[in-house]
Every structure is written in structure tokens, then in C-alpha cells.
Amino acid sequence: MGKLTVLALRIVLAMVLAGSLFVQAVMVPLLATDLKEDFSSDVADVRAPIIVITVLGFVIIQVTAVCVWRLLTMVRRGTVFSRAAFRYVDVIIGAAAAGSLLMLALGVTLAPGEAVPPGMVLLIGGAAVVVAGIALVVLVMRMLLTQAVARDAEAHHLQAELDEVI
């Protein structure tokens, strides 16, 4: 990966982290107030779960951004093809799976009652499936990383043998 690409991705990750912190600090309290005052009793009844799901969703985004940042650091140092990278990839997979479950929980929370149209609940369910698909794609990429780490270890072993012969 080029230096410019790494820099661009780090800028995007920094913006994501700053934006998510802003949302948690400013927008979530405003959402809580709006849910309390402006909506019907159907939404007011599920106010707490909606707030908790929202906060946890942003925590998942932050954890994922930090893990991608750490992987970028490993790419820059040339150590991404090592066992240490698996820890961050595993956390990303877990975060995506948790995000999918949170989306599903949001849909289940909003489904009863008349406050949210059924189409919106269906869209939330579709988003949960998409996020689960992302977790599966990252899992496949983890398998590719496993193969790359094995090939890298084999190459180092063969290089050591060749150095010994020479």
C-alpha cells in the first residue's frame, strides 16, 4: 500500500472517530430528548433500547476504526503478515457480527406498534443481513491472511535454508 493511500485512509478513520464521538456526546442526548417529547407513546416505550442500541452501534464503529488503524500501522511497518494481525481481524469480525445483531435488535424493538412502518422494519432487517455479509467477507479475508502468513513463514524458512547452503 502506498504512503498516500495509508494517509488518506487514516484521515478518513480520524474523521469517523471524531464524528462518532460527536454523535455520542451531542446527538444521542438530543435523540433521547426528541424520543421523550415528540413521538407517540409507542416510541416512548422503546426509548431506552433505542438509545442503548445507538450508543453500542457507535462503539462498534469506533472499535472497528481503531482495529483498522492498527492494521494500517502493521502494513506501514511491513508486519501485517504475522500472527499479531489476527487479533485485530478477529475483533473486526466480532464487531461486524455484533453490529448485525444490534441491527436485528433494533428491528425487533421497533416492530411492535404503529410508530414505525413495517417497510422501515424490513429495511432495518435488510441492513442487518448486509452487515452480517460484511462479517462473512472479512472472515474470508482472514482465511486469505492465514494462507499469506503460512506462505510468508515458508518463504522465510526456505530463505534460511538457502542462506545456509550458500
Side-chain angles (χ1 to χ4, degrees):
M1 221 188 257
K3 289 182 180 183
L4 188 60
T5 306
V6 171
L7 177 65
L9 188 50
R10 285 196 174 183
I11 290 170
V12 168
L13 289 172
M15 290 171 54
V16 165
L17 285 170
S20 65
L21 288 172
F22 171 77
V23 168
Q24 281 180 320
V26 176
M27 301 304 289
V28 170
L30 292 175
L31 174 65
T33 303
D34 285 347
L35 288 175
K36 187 177 185 179
E37 296 173 354
D38 295 340
F39 289 97
S40 67
S41 64
D42 288 341
V43 175
D45 294 341
V46 294
R47 177 176 166 249
I50 291 173
I51 299 303
V52 168
I53 289 170
T54 302
V55 169
L56 289 175
F58 280 103
V59 168
I60 287 171
I61 290 169
Q62 292 164 351
V63 166
T64 302
V66 168
C67 287
V68 171
W69 188 287
R70 296 294 302 163
L71 287 169
L72 276 175
T73 301
M74 294 179 82
V75 166
R76 188 174 45 94
R77 292 180 183 157
T79 60
V80 75
F81 294 116
S82 66
R83 295 276 173 214
F86 289 109
R87 173 180 40 203
Y88 301 114
V89 175
D90 290 341
V91 171
I92 291 170
I93 292 168
S100 177
L101 291 175
L102 277 178
M103 292 294 291
L104 189 62
L106 180 63
V108 168
T109 301
L110 294 176
E114 300 289 324
V116 178
M120 182 62 74
V121 174
L122 185 62
L123 284 173
I124 293 170
V129 171
V130 168
V131 175
I134 291 170
L136 292 172
V137 167
V138 176
L139 180 63
V140 169
M141 295 175 99
R142 185 194 189 282
M143 291 178 198
L144 293 173
L145 179 63
T146 302
Q147 290 177 352
V149 168
R151 297 281 188 269
D152 192 49
E154 183 181 357
H156 284 298
H157 176 70
L158 291 174
Q159 183 65 41
E161 285 182 6
L162 184 61
D163 289 343
E164 192 174 292
V165 170
I166 295 176

